[in-house]
Amino acid sequence: MLDCVVFLADCLVSVSQCIEVIIGGLDYNQNKVNQWTASIVEHSLTQLVKQGRPFKFIVNCAIMQKSGAGLHTANSCYWDTATDGSCTVRWENRTMYCVVSVFAVALTC
Amino acid sequence: VDYVRSVDYLMYGLICVVLAPPAAVFRTLQWDTDPSALQLQADSELGRRMHRLGASKIVQIDFVPKELVTYTKETQTPSAAHQSEEEEEDEESSELKASPQTDQPEEEGEAEDSKEAHPRELTEEEREQILHSEDFLVFFERSVSVVERALAEEGDIFFDYSGRDLEDKEGDMQGGSNLSFNRVFHDDHWSKHRVVTCLDWSPQYPELMVASYNSNEDAPHEPDGIALVWNMKFKKTTPEYTFHCQSSVMSVGQIVLWDNRSHRRTPVQRTPLSAAAHTHPVYCVNVVGTQNANNLITVSTDGKMCSWSLDMLSQPQESMELVYNKSKPVAVTGMAFPAGDVNNYVVGSEEGMVYSASRHGSKAGIAEMFEGHQGPVTGISCHNAVGTVDFSHLFITSSFDWTVKLWSIKHNKPLYSFEDNADYVYDVSWSPVHPALFASVDGMGRLDLWNLNNDTEVPTASVTIEGACALNRVRWASGGREVAVGDSEGRVWIYDVGELAVPHPEDWSHFARTLVEIRANRGDGEEEGAVELPA
């Protein structure tokens, strides 16, 4: 299980790096935001898979424009709490919020 | 086909198919999302190991909304002291001496009497304290005003009706002249050497009139802009109220609001000098709407029109840039709303064009252009006398080109041009009661009254004001019997108009016939290229 925790910490780091590379320093742009969410998800997933761990991954990315509205989400999972885990990365700049959630479900075989 | 990445319908119905090499092959999975089915699967396929499955903790993500703080009132006026009214009643019954100092112990002595059992002399400190207290100042100012009226009035102040009567009789005795001089308002201290920039009559108290003045070049340390409220009813020669403002009133582009209820002389509210509001001189201010639901509309010379709520002057409710044909903005010098209309209005500009515009609707902004003047438009006035025939499509404009022109909203060339002046015409104003009567003032000190039912070539009545240089502003009183004229020396002249101002019922139909004649003459090839505009 410790393994899992360490692994998730790594996840966090690599995912936040991904986000920074893709939308760091940019302002919210409606034309491009779809490309951004797609590439964030793709790159994060590639990074995670590259680590070669026996996990199934689910990556979710949400980008919200800062317009004064509120956003509230929640999630929960029913799984093997010993071997499975999730992590969420929250990132923001002056014009938008970005939230990426990664769920890792252990592959048993 | 795995490698078709996306199919897009582009604008003109073309279908674009994006082909991409398979970067990652995503197998579609058959999901059976029923949890019980998942459990069964887990049990059957992975039955070798016993898994204890549990729910993970709930991950919550919250972005709180930004709280928008809105105030309906930016400033609060201090509540007036009620006790000043009681003290005032005591005052009026006793005789006031000239110097306030000797009065003081007497009044205070009386007040003290009513409060305490034994009378006593006030000490010097107490006296000073009371003299400088706000309550006393408020009361004193108010009673000074009342007593000034009493001193200036001949006869019984309680029967000012008789005083008014005398004035009226004098007017009649001048042989039924059309324009007779009534009085001049001038304050040596405040209004000397200041140009009258604007005049308006109070809608609630028809005898009150406010005049605004710009900076006094001779006295730089006096406040730059002032507004004085004059009272027509009483004969006293000093203004009722004086208001100061730091910047020249109508020069910098701020709108300031003075509240008559608070006893401060400086503005209660002012709009900020910000890009959201005006950054250029504000030449036109109009309150449109009813008494309860109204808006303040202001236009500045950079073509920006802002609509304000009088409660909140920190930012405009809405603002609009007035541009004609998507080119440069219009430098507006005058604005007028037709009677009863709060949406459509006409503006005059520095280039000499007149434009019609609307505040809301699909065509918000400048609609039509009216060409005709050869110089900057100085004044614009919409017809507002209500009667049997509707003339609300008419408006008149005055300009530096020495003419006054009559227009209809429906034609983009003038209906008629009045060319009797020999100097810049500074302002025009329709009579509020007579359909064919309007007043104009020019730079030579001339006040003209034109009655179009009488003559359209020359004014029906005209007077050159003695001792006035240029006349800047003209405004009719709400009853239509008096005209207020402001000049460049800070004087406000009030003229009674006499019989000429009184409309008769047939004046409306007469004016309709006059208009038909004017149009017929115009149609004789004088104005070519006139376009009939859609209503």
Side-chain angles (χ1 to χ4, degrees):
Chain A
M1 191 178 97
L2 202 60
D3 197 23
C4 187
V5 170
V6 169
F7 168 59
L8 284 176
D10 289 337
C11 274
L12 212 143
V13 168
S14 56
V15 165
S16 30
Q17 275 173 357
C18 264
I19 300 175
E20 189 61 48
V21 161
I22 293 167
I23 58 174
L26 299 178
D27 281 343
Y28 177 84
N29 181 341
Q30 195 186 333
N31 300 328
K32 297 209 186 129
V33 71
N34 282 325
Q35 293 169 24
W36 292 339
T37 47
S39 29
I40 287 173
V41 162
E42 213 179 308
H43 285 222
S44 310
L45 204 48
T46 327
Q47 291 288 338
L48 292 168
V49 167
K50 231 191 252 179
Q51 297 190 12
R53 309 294 200 111
F55 281 102
K56 292 181 178 169
F57 293 108
I58 296 153
V59 178
N60 182 43
C61 171
I63 293 185
M64 184 172 109
Q65 180 186 21
K66 275 195 181 176
S67 60
L71 173 70
H72 307 266
T73 71
N75 64 62
S76 174
C77 312
Y78 184 70
W79 51 24
D80 187 339
T81 47
T83 58
D84 309 322
S86 73
C87 82
T88 311
V89 178
R90 255 164 274 200
W91 182 95
E92 68 179 276
N93 71 4
R94 196 179 54 94
T95 51
M96 54 189 174
Y97 297 108
C98 177
V99 182
V100 177
S101 309
V102 176
F103 301 89
V105 180
L107 280 167
T108 55
C109 50
Chain B
V1 186
D2 333 88
Y3 52 87
V4 176
R5 203 36 105 64
S6 64
V7 179
D8 253 1
Y9 285 87
L10 296 180
M11 282 223 315
Y12 302 101
L14 295 175
I15 301 175
C16 163
V17 176
V18 176
L19 297 174
V25 179
F26 296 94
R27 285 207 197 84
T28 53
L29 298 172
Q30 296 290 346
W31 272 120
D32 193 347
T33 50
D34 186 18
S36 52
L38 278 176
Q39 183 69 34
L40 274 173
Q41 269 190 343
D43 282 345
S44 59
E45 288 173 26
L46 312 160
R48 286 164 273 160
R49 279 156 61 181
M50 286 297 290
H51 302 280
R52 270 176 300 126
L53 297 178
S56 73
K57 59 177 167 55
I58 297 174
V59 174
Q60 278 201 305
I61 298 168
D62 285 306
F63 296 116
V64 287
K66 195 168 64 164
E67 213 185 285
L68 283 174
V69 178
T70 52
Y71 297 104
T72 51
K73 286 202 188 302
E74 286 285 308
T75 57
Q76 290 287 331
T77 53
S79 54
H82 291 290
Q83 59 191 23
S84 64
E85 300 206 358
E86 298 156 26
E87 290 181 36
E88 211 181 287
E89 280 167 21
D90 289 343
E91 262 329 296
E92 282 192 10
S93 54
S94 66
E95 250 187 333
L96 272 184
K97 296 188 198 104
S99 75
Q101 282 291 14
T102 50
D103 269 344
Q104 233 271 301
E106 217 183 80
E107 301 158 14
E108 288 313 311
E110 280 180 33
E112 289 295 322
D113 269 338
S114 53
K115 287 178 201 165
E116 296 173 31
H118 50 279
R120 61 181 180 88
E121 277 293 312
L122 288 172
T123 62
E124 195 59 42
E125 293 132 35
E126 277 173 329
R127 217 176 278 181
E128 282 298 310
Q129 194 186 19
I130 292 169
L131 266 181
H132 289 108
S133 75
E134 174 153 353
D135 287 347
F136 174 73
L137 287 172
V138 159
F139 144 69
F140 191 66
E141 246 180 67
R142 179 105 202 267
S143 34
V144 160
S145 174
V146 171
V147 171
E148 270 188 337
R149 284 187 208 158
L151 289 174
E153 209 70 23
E154 296 139 11
D156 204 344
I157 53 168
F158 295 107
F159 293 94
D160 54 286
Y161 184 64
S162 64
R164 200 80 173 96
D165 239 355
L166 278 173
E167 265 178 50
D168 278 357
K169 281 197 191 122
E170 266 179 39
D172 282 0
M173 281 189 327
Q174 281 179 30
S177 68
N178 288 324
L179 266 186
S180 58
F181 173 65
N182 185 337
R183 55 189 307 181
V184 58
F185 287 118
H186 179 68
D187 185 282
D188 273 329
H189 183 217
W190 288 117
S191 68
K192 203 169 192 175
H193 298 309
R194 292 175 188 258
V195 179
V196 175
T197 46
C198 196
L199 298 172
D200 202 10
W201 293 86
S202 162
Q204 263 148 348
Y205 298 108
E207 66 272 12
L208 284 186
M209 188 199 74
V210 64
S212 65
Y213 305 82
N214 77 348
S215 54
N216 182 350
E217 277 139 17
D218 290 342
H221 45 268
E222 297 259 328
D224 275 340
I226 55 165
L228 301 177
V229 177
W230 300 95
N231 193 331
M232 278 280 294
K233 201 151 68 156
F234 302 110
K235 287 207 187 96
K236 68 172 181 144
T237 52
T238 53
E240 283 278 341
Y241 298 104
T242 317
F243 299 103
H244 308 166
C245 174
Q246 272 324 105
S247 66
S248 205
V249 181
M250 249 191 11
S251 167
V252 180
Q254 262 180 333
I255 296 134
V256 292
L257 188 69
W258 286 281
D259 194 334
N260 233 357
R261 295 169 297 183
S262 82
H263 296 270
R264 288 162 58 181
R265 285 188 167 179
T266 48
V268 170
Q269 289 190 43
R270 57 167 79 216
T271 60
L273 273 172
S274 72
H278 292 290
T279 50
H280 275 70
V282 176
Y283 265 83
C284 337
V285 172
N286 250 340
V287 178
V288 296
T290 61
Q291 193 160 17
N292 294 325
N294 49 30
N295 273 333
L296 182 70
I297 315 286
T298 56
V299 191
S300 55
T301 53
D302 59 354
K304 194 146 179 215
M305 186 207 82
C306 290
S307 156
W308 309 80
S309 158
L310 284 170
D311 293 331
M312 205 171 87
L313 284 189
S314 64
Q315 61 180 34
Q317 303 280 53
E318 56 175 9
S319 71
M320 194 188 337
E321 186 101 23
L322 295 174
V323 286
Y324 178 63
N325 253 353
K326 300 185 174 53
S327 62
K328 59 178 174 47
V330 174
V332 175
T333 51
M335 166 178 76
F337 278 80
D341 202 331
V342 297
N343 190 23
N344 302 303
Y345 56 98
V346 282
V347 291
S349 71
E350 264 174 13
E351 297 106 12
M353 309 297 184
V354 181
Y355 301 90
S356 71
S358 49
R359 282 173 60 205
H360 307 119
S362 55
K363 289 205 208 135
I366 300 269
E368 301 294 341
M369 175 174 87
F370 301 86
E371 268 188 278
H373 276 298
Q374 264 116 32
V377 175
T378 49
I380 185 167
S381 176
C382 284
H383 195 278
N384 50 19
V386 177
T388 49
V389 187
D390 178 33
F391 294 116
S392 58
H393 58 98
L394 295 180
F395 61 96
I396 40 174
T397 53
S398 62
S399 153
F400 274 15
D401 66 356
W402 296 10
T403 66
V404 172
K405 293 198 194 305
L406 171 70
W407 312 73
S408 164
I409 290 271
K410 304 176 196 157
H411 295 94
N412 71 342
K413 292 277 193 290
L415 290 180
Y416 198 83
S417 181
F418 304 96
E419 300 186 3
D420 193 62
N421 293 85
D423 199 345
Y424 299 163
V425 186
Y426 278 105
D427 201 9
V428 275
S429 187
W430 281 106
S431 160
V433 293
H434 196 297
L437 185 67
F438 67 88
S440 70
V441 289
D442 75 357
M444 292 201 322
R446 229 176 80 177
L447 165 65
D448 295 323
L449 284 187
W450 298 77
N451 183 341
L452 299 177
N453 284 344
N454 202 0
D455 196 342
T456 57
E457 297 276 322
V458 287
T460 305
S462 176
V463 66
T464 302
I465 298 183
E466 304 259 341
C469 19
L471 299 178
N472 219 4
R473 278 289 189 176
V474 64
R475 281 284 176 271
W476 290 85
S478 51
R481 298 299 297 264
E482 290 109 7
V483 175
V485 182
D487 72 5
S488 57
E489 281 294 311
R491 283 193 207 86
V492 178
W493 306 82
I494 312 283
Y495 275 79
D496 285 324
V497 185
E499 274 311 304
L500 176 61
V502 177
H504 301 111
E506 61 268 15
D507 274 325
W508 271 264
S509 42
H510 189 180
F511 188 48
R513 287 197 301 277
T514 313
L515 274 182
V516 169
E517 277 173 34
I518 289 175
R519 279 214 188 93
N521 292 338
R522 198 182 119 248
D524 288 346
E526 218 180 32
E527 304 279 352
E528 281 173 13
V531 171
E532 182 89 31
L533 297 170

